[in-house]
Amino acid sequence: LAETAGTVELLAGTYAEDVTVDDELTLVGPNAGEAGDSEDREDEATIEGTVELEEGTEFAGLQVTSDGQQAIDINPLDPEAADITVQNNILDVEGPDESSTNQGVNLQTLDGELVFEDNLVRDAVGGVLVASSGADATIAGNVFEEIDNPHDFGFPEGAAVKLAGGQSGDNDLTITDNEIIETEHGILLEETGPGIEATIADNTFEGESSETESYVAVETLDDVDGVDDLDDLATDQSSFNPAETKAAN
């Protein structure tokens, strides 16, 4: 463990505990600057547990193995207008069981922007859930792999990215340049509030799941205010295999 003003660096090794990052702190590991799927990553600093991020924090270059729980939980008790950055991490949720609803990232409250970039998320029921009214999110350059829901109930649908917010404020999303491999669903948008603005572009969908006729790369659930079809969302998917972009009615 090394510490400078405002920054804590975790050295390579295993830390078997839940971790809370607060007070506008930056927590970095030995692989800050290396994408989650990069072959150039060095020995990992691995947190075995759930990481809770408070407002104004940054989490980079680490591995989280959460054993069926949320890998990263963002739910400040008193959220302020401050951004949270999560980048260059490996999030191993380590498998959905018969009862878990584990996510790679569970964003419940944030008055600010989530920047989620260049991470690897795998083996979870859901990749990134944005359930915060009024939160903005940039989700770019990530790899989502083996995201699947084994339950009879729908939530959280086995999606790489799901928006389920907007009860009291608009959501502004940018979802670009992600690689989505072997997921039950691609990107799900569910909205019951004022509306969303979303740019969804240049994502790729790969694996046997995306080759089935029932697979939907980008999908709206229920009524999304102001969105009659996905053309309204500036959707420009670049690669399908051979999934189509369409609204599910």
Side-chain angles (χ1 to χ4, degrees):
L1 181 68
E3 184 171 356
T4 59
T7 300
V8 174
E9 181 180 354
L10 287 187
L11 305 181
T14 300
Y15 303 83
E17 58 187 302
D18 294 336
V19 173
T20 298
V21 185
D22 56 12
D23 296 328
E24 299 187 353
L25 190 69
T26 295
L27 185 64
V28 299
N31 289 298
E34 296 289 347
D37 65 335
S38 172
E39 296 181 354
D40 295 327
R41 292 178 73 92
E42 301 176 355
D43 291 343
E44 299 287 348
T46 301
I47 297 172
E48 294 183 344
T50 294
V51 175
E52 183 174 347
L53 299 180
E54 298 290 338
E55 60 273 5
T57 56
E58 182 174 348
F59 186 81
L62 294 138
Q63 181 179 34
V64 180
T65 60
S66 59
D67 192 22
Q69 305 301 312
Q70 317 286 5
I72 293 181
D73 203 16
I74 302 173
N75 189 20
L77 295 177
D78 185 19
E80 299 177 356
D83 299 338
I84 289 176
T85 299
V86 180
Q87 60 185 3
N88 305 138
N89 303 291
I90 297 174
L91 306 182
D92 279 316
V93 183
E94 296 199 334
D97 59 29
E98 293 181 356
S99 61
S100 69
T101 57
N102 56 74
Q103 314 276 334
V105 176
N106 178 38
L107 171 59
Q108 291 293 331
T109 58
L110 181 66
D111 186 6
E113 182 180 8
L114 169 67
V115 177
F116 188 78
E117 294 182 336
D118 297 324
N119 301 283
L120 171 61
V121 183
R122 58 192 176 194
D123 205 10
V125 172
V128 177
L129 171 66
V130 180
S132 177
S133 297
D136 299 335
T138 298
I139 300 169
N142 305 286
V143 176
F144 298 93
E145 188 171 3
E146 296 184 7
I147 311 296
D148 179 67
N149 182 1
H151 309 309
D152 292 334
F153 54 89
F155 179 82
E157 289 100 6
V161 181
K162 180 180 178 181
L163 169 69
Q167 296 287 338
S168 58
D170 292 348
N171 291 97
D172 189 349
L173 287 102
T174 300
I175 305 172
T176 59
D177 299 300
N178 299 286
E179 187 175 358
I180 298 172
I181 306 168
E182 289 296 353
T183 64
E184 186 173 348
H185 294 278
I187 299 166
L188 299 183
L189 307 176
E190 181 178 26
E191 190 80 17
T192 57
I196 59 175
E197 294 183 5
T199 299
I200 304 172
D202 300 322
N203 302 288
T204 62
F205 301 82
E206 303 174 10
E208 292 182 3
S209 61
S210 67
E211 296 175 3
T212 64
E213 292 185 1
S214 61
Y215 185 84
V216 183
V218 183
E219 180 178 354
T220 57
L221 301 177
D222 301 326
D223 294 325
V224 178
D225 186 31
V227 180
D228 294 325
D229 89 38
L230 289 170
D231 291 339
D232 296 340
L233 297 179
T235 303
D236 179 21
Q237 298 298 336
S238 64
S239 177
F240 302 96
N241 192 20
E244 296 180 355
T245 300
K246 60 185 178 180
N249 298 316

